[in-house]
Amino acid sequence: MASVDVPVALLGYGTVGSAVNRLLTESADDIERATGHRLRVVRALVRDVGKERPFRAEPGVLTTDFASIRDDPSIALVAEVMGGVDPTGGYVLELLQAGKPVVSANKQLVARRGAELFEAASSRGVQLRFEASVCAAIPVVKILRESLVVSNVHRVLGIVNGTTNFILTRMETGASYAEALAEAQRLGYAEADPTDDVSGADAAAKMAILATVAFGSRVTLEDVDASSNSSSGSSARRRWSTAASTCASGRRSSIATIRSPRSRGRSTA
């Protein structure tokens, strides 16, 4: 059986975008054998075409013209790997309105503009896939949307931020918050600017997405209380546990509490 050619465009071609292209290129044969589809990166939106990148794109792939992606009927799929909410959200919205399916791992974008984007996708009959926006190595979104679709999920509980999980583990062994954070940055677990992780913004976005999928009702960032905690010891770890409940709010990892649209009560996880 002949394979299906799938021309792919990327929004962004930095560290993540170039890694996606490398994986698709190096694993093309394996992907084709498993799926019957041959994925090829044919366009990538960048700010500077001449910038050096970890994995060099083929000639003609890099472009600064967004319209060349949006208006190209041959492009079958777009992967958003540029991050941020603006101008990314506008680009994704235009792509969906143009009838192009989009894949994104951008948790802040999905959490903040998900309702608008999913409405646009639905109206054009295309998909916005976002599995990697939460616990990328674990198909938790797929399980909640498909395998548990007829189940009544009452609660989501888990560690959703690896950076704070590492920091809290080190704090349990006696390290201070500053020491644990510095070690996480040295080892590459924490960003140079760890604000989203340690403030709870990352966990809040992930939990808003998970709660929306699990409970079947829109949970926004406004429904999530997020706070940081730099105290030490096991009590801090307990305070940084993560949970969401349909019938009551619960404490969530890396710092957050969900107020479910179905109830505004409060419980301790």
Side-chain angles (χ1 to χ4, degrees), residues 25-90:
T25 300
E26 295 176 353
S27 304
D29 292 340
D30 292 334
I31 294 172
E32 184 176 354
R33 276 194 298 270
T35 68
H37 293 73
R38 189 80 177 187
L39 276 65
R40 300 181 299 110
V41 173
V42 298
R43 205 75 46 79
L45 183 67
V46 297
R47 284 194 293 260
D48 181 3
V49 173
K51 180 181 177 181
E52 278 295 317
R53 290 171 169 85
F55 185 79
R56 184 171 298 178
E58 292 292 324
V61 167
L62 301 183
T63 180
T64 59
D65 182 14
F66 169 70
S68 70
I69 295 175
R70 181 196 59 204
D71 300 335
D72 186 343
S74 71
I75 293 175
L77 174 68
V78 180
E80 181 276 301
V81 288
M82 63 190 299
V85 177
D86 295 308
T88 312

Side-chain angles (χ1 to χ4, degrees), residues 1 14 21 62 72 81 91 129 141 144 163 202 213 216 229 232 236:
M1 182 182 296
N21 189 21
L62 301 183
D72 186 343
V81 288
Y91 289 153
R129 305 293 287 195
V141 172
L144 288 170
T163 300
D202 178 89
V213 175
N229 190 324
S232 61

Side-chain angles (χ1 to χ4, degrees), residues 30-267:
D30 292 334
I31 294 172
E32 184 176 354
R33 276 194 298 270
T35 68
H37 293 73
R38 189 80 177 187
L39 276 65
R40 300 181 299 110
V41 173
V42 298
R43 205 75 46 79
L45 183 67
V46 297
R47 284 194 293 260
D48 181 3
V49 173
K51 180 181 177 181
E52 278 295 317
R53 290 171 169 85
F55 185 79
R56 184 171 298 178
E58 292 292 324
V61 167
L62 301 183
T63 180
T64 59
D65 182 14
F66 169 70
S68 70
I69 295 175
R70 181 196 59 204
D71 300 335
D72 186 343
S74 71
I75 293 175
L77 174 68
V78 180
E80 181 276 301
V81 288
M82 63 190 299
V85 177
D86 295 308
T88 312
Y91 289 153
V92 172
L93 181 61
E94 286 190 45
L95 289 167
L96 295 171
Q97 291 172 335
K100 293 192 183 299
V102 176
V103 176
S104 176
N106 189 334
K107 66 188 72 67
Q108 292 296 336
L109 177 62
V110 176
R112 294 176 185 277
R113 298 190 61 176
E116 175 187 17
L117 297 176
F118 286 116
E119 181 180 356
S122 177
S123 67
R124 289 306 310 269
V126 296
Q127 295 191 55
L128 170 60
R129 305 293 287 195
F130 55 100
E131 181 69 57
S133 65
V134 181
C135 304
I138 306 169
V140 61
V141 172
K142 181 179 177 67
I143 291 172
L144 288 170
R145 293 183 75 184
E146 299 177 14
S147 301
L148 298 179
V149 68
V150 297
S151 301
N152 188 10
V153 179
H154 294 279
R155 186 172 181 174
V156 177
L157 174 67
I159 296 167
V160 297
N161 185 278
T163 300
T164 51
N165 188 45
F166 175 85
I167 291 172
L168 289 167
T169 300
R170 293 293 293 117
M171 288 167 65
E172 281 189 333
T173 65
S176 68
Y177 170 76
E179 291 169 340
L181 175 57
E183 183 180 2
Q185 290 173 316
R186 179 175 58 81
L187 294 173
Y189 301 147
E191 302 284 349
D193 180 2
T195 304
D196 274 6
D197 290 326
V198 300
S199 70
D202 178 89
K206 289 174 178 175
M207 292 307 290
I209 294 169
L210 284 177
T212 295
V213 175
F215 305 151
S217 57
R218 174 61 56 185
V219 176
T220 69
L221 285 175
E222 286 68 39
D223 295 311
V224 180
D225 294 327
S227 60
S228 62
N229 190 324
S230 59
S231 59
S232 61
S234 59
S235 61
R237 187 179 186 87
R238 286 194 296 271
R239 285 194 294 273
W240 282 28
S241 64
T242 301
S245 173
T246 55
C247 57
S249 64
R251 297 206 184 270
R252 61 161 81 175
S253 138
S254 204
I255 338 175
T257 298
I258 282 187
R259 297 187 297 269
S260 169
R262 299 179 185 177
S263 173
R264 298 303 182 191
R266 181 179 295 267
S267 69

